[in-house]
Amino acid sequence: MPLENVRHIVLVLSGKGGVGKSSITTQLALTLSLQGHSVGVLDVDLTGPSIPRFFGIEGKKVRQAPGGWVPVDVHEAQQLKTRHTNGVADGETAAAAPSEEGQKTGGLSCMSLGFILSNRGDAVIWRGPKKTAMVRQFLTDVLWPELDFLLIDTPPGTSDEHISLLETLLKQTTSSARPNQLAGAVVVTTPQAISISDVKKELNFCKKTGVRVLGVVENMAGFVCPNCSECCNIFSKGGGEVMARDFEVPFLGSVPIDPAFVMLIEEGVRPRYPKGTVVEGKAMVEREDGVEGDKEGLLVEKYRECSLAPVFEGIVRRLVEDVRSRD
Amino acid sequence: MAPSLEEPTKVDLNAPLKVAPKLVAPEPEHCPGPESEQAGVADNCAGCPNQKICASAPKGPDPDIPVITERLSSVRHKILVLSGKGGVGKSTFSTMLSHAFASNPSLTVGLMDTDICGPSIPKMMGVEEETIHVSAEGWEPVWVSENLGVMSVQFMLPGRDDAVIWRGAKKNGLIKKFLMEVRWGDMDVLVVDTPPGTSDEHLSVNSFLKTSGVDGAVLVTTPQEVALLDVRKEIDFCRKAKITILGIVENMSGFVCPGCKHESQIFRASTGGAKRLAADEKIPFLGTVPLDPRIGMACDFGESFLDAYPDSPACKAIRHVVRRVGEEMGMQGDVLGDEE
């Protein structure tokens, strides 16, 4: 059976586009990996795959092996060195698996249509049936290594990709011996009413299809001006929490906008912050004036210094506990 | 089963559509589309349970297309608002484009929402609670003001939080029905808002409107490469489908802190942004719209941002972009009906 190497499958859904599904998927994957789990990411957004870009592996191609496709490795399981700075790493290692050599980090691999296209600018102009077939193939023909978590990043909406994805997954998981394999869905929203109204549709979609909602993440909640440190709620605030309460699903947390994270993804620059920035009780690495941020190192290792890392640490810990408690 | 790494099946974007036959089985993977000229005779059709039905269905153009053309013949300009990426502000921009055109009292403006799974236009226009009126002559759009009419799938849903869980074929049917039934009447500009991506909705809007003539498409993007990546795909789509690109708008570029007036590039244009993309692809660059929290708030409350904050920099930027769109479409005079 395909997916037999995968212990838990988590969907990342949102009715609205551009709320940060891929960005949240990326950060969930990085954080899970930092906590020592092995993670796979499957991108089923066929007409706009962004996962390769997020992990900085755009040039990579999928290899064909007997029996299926080999997903692209972002990094292998390894021990990350603990940084001896005032960075976030200290706190995190204490939380994850503390060891002499460093932080135990799980492997991370990805699969996306972006790896198959010959030219990154090419449009994938497919009608529903072709998309359905591709989604099925992604679920059955990818040779995942042993995974603790498989995150599935979806396109916006509730249409062909979603229907096919759930049809295939529900058929597989209900017939298998592990009914908890499809752990549930993380629903992403931004705080504005416009986004909330679309995401409510997605929550109803989960209800109708019987997928458990693991929780709601509110993304783009607030932006801290790097100059004056005043927090401005560009897309208003609190909408996600209210919606979660209305639908009686857990609220996992608010994620602010962090330009340093955008920089990390877009240019691979190590996140640096103004002096005295403290997030969730942890001091961030200071920005030194006139020094260009360095680009060396693995994405996962640089991400530890991002101000969003502690936020996700909390979200992921809750998720993992929740999923494990149902095993 | 050995997976295939083949290139995507080519969809024939120029073939005229014919009537979709009633199928006995779901369309298979390489289906050329039951409406296509090739239905039932293409190589991929061999062995499909629908083959006979598709092959024997009446050939020739879809009889509904002339109906659509007739309906829309009184609409002078049709603009598609496209973007490969979601959440870059297609609907926001469509709303503002329509409001701006409608601020000229001599223009009648229509706004059609083809995003079926996530329609946001009614909320942004403040007409969420409305329903469609059906008359003998067709469906009446919902009028926001004297000269601004709106049509969306939201008006037909029983509950506004209900998910529309439809596959592509069904969505196409609805879009077609919209185009056939809605009585736009005598209209100067029709703005068509689309969902993200390059799939069913886009293909059908394109093929349904082909004969009635679309002025072109306005592409919306945000400055970061993650969004531009998808917009490039959309440009490729427009080229393949022979849709004229009126130009590209960069939304959410730069955020001015209300506290200290410091401008931050939240969505950093690490690869030169839309301007560079426009130059590379040789398409017109229509302008940039800064990120203003009040735009989002105006949309949440269903108000017109342009009316509420006429002096804000964002408003000026939008009006500039709308003028450029008018120019690109070859509309005579100042489309906004006033001089600044």
Side-chain angles (χ1 to χ4, degrees), chain B residues 82-286:
Chain B
L82 298 175
S83 170
K85 180 103 185 92
V88 295
K90 281 178 301 302
S91 302
T92 311
F93 183 73
S94 305
T95 335
M96 292 196 291
L97 192 61
S98 341
H99 272 304
F101 278 131
S103 68
N104 180 350
S106 61
L107 294 179
T108 315
V109 186
L111 173 56
M112 190 176 102
D113 187 2
T114 58
D115 191 343
I116 289 169
C117 292
S120 349
I121 293 289
K123 190 169 186 80
M124 290 188 180
M125 290 302 232
V127 287
E128 237 186 330
E129 307 295 329
E130 299 285 335
T131 47
I132 301 170
H133 299 281
V134 181
S135 71
E137 286 152 68
W139 300 350
E140 190 68 31
V142 173
W143 293 93
V144 177
S145 65
E146 284 281 284
N147 58 346
L148 177 54
V150 181
M151 194 65 203
S152 166
V153 67
Q154 180 83 66
F155 299 139
M156 298 155 75
L157 295 181
R160 66 170 136 154
D161 295 342
D162 287 0
V164 180
I165 311 171
W166 288 4
R167 286 194 180 271
K170 201 168 170 190
K171 293 197 280 189
N172 295 342
L174 185 75
I175 292 175
K176 190 172 178 184
K177 195 131 181 87
F178 259 11
L179 291 167
M180 278 169 64
E181 301 285 344
V182 178
R183 199 166 67 90
W184 291 109
D186 190 42
M187 197 160 263
D188 295 284
V189 185
L190 177 65
V191 180
V192 182
D193 184 26
T194 60
T198 48
S199 191
D200 294 277
E201 292 93 334
H202 309 81
L203 285 168
S204 40
V205 167
N206 177 47
S207 46
F208 293 148
L209 292 180
K210 186 133 263 178
T211 46
S212 24
V214 175
D215 285 68
V218 175
L219 301 176
V220 184
T221 185
T222 49
Q224 77 280 38
E225 178 59 26
V226 175
L228 294 176
L229 183 63
D230 290 351
V231 174
R232 257 183 223 116
K233 292 177 196 288
E234 203 74 30
I235 295 174
D236 187 38
F237 169 78
C238 287
R239 296 231 164 101
K240 282 182 180 153
K242 300 206 171 57
I243 302 172
T244 319
I245 300 174
L246 294 174
I248 184 164
V249 185
E250 185 175 283
N251 195 16
M252 307 192 196
S253 69
F255 168 69
V256 179
C257 171
C260 67
K261 306 290 171 218
H262 172 81
E263 188 174 330
S264 316
Q265 300 293 330
I266 295 186
F267 301 109
R268 239 179 91 89
S270 54
T271 53
K275 200 164 189 170
R276 168 87 178 279
L277 178 68
D280 287 350
E281 299 278 350
K282 298 188 179 55
I283 54 177
F285 178 65
L286 298 175

Side-chain angles (χ1 to χ4, degrees), chain B residues 39-58:
Chain B
V41 293
D43 296 345
N44 295 327
C45 294
C48 172
N50 297 319
Q51 188 185 10
K52 265 204 176 129
I53 301 170
C54 286
S56 61

Side-chain angles (χ1 to χ4, degrees), chain A residues 207-229:
Chain A
K207 239 184 223 171
K208 272 189 196 168
T209 48
V211 174
R212 205 161 70 84
V213 178
L214 294 172
V216 173
V217 176
E218 184 180 82
N219 194 19
M220 304 196 198
F223 167 70
V224 178
C225 175
N227 191 36
C228 66
S229 307

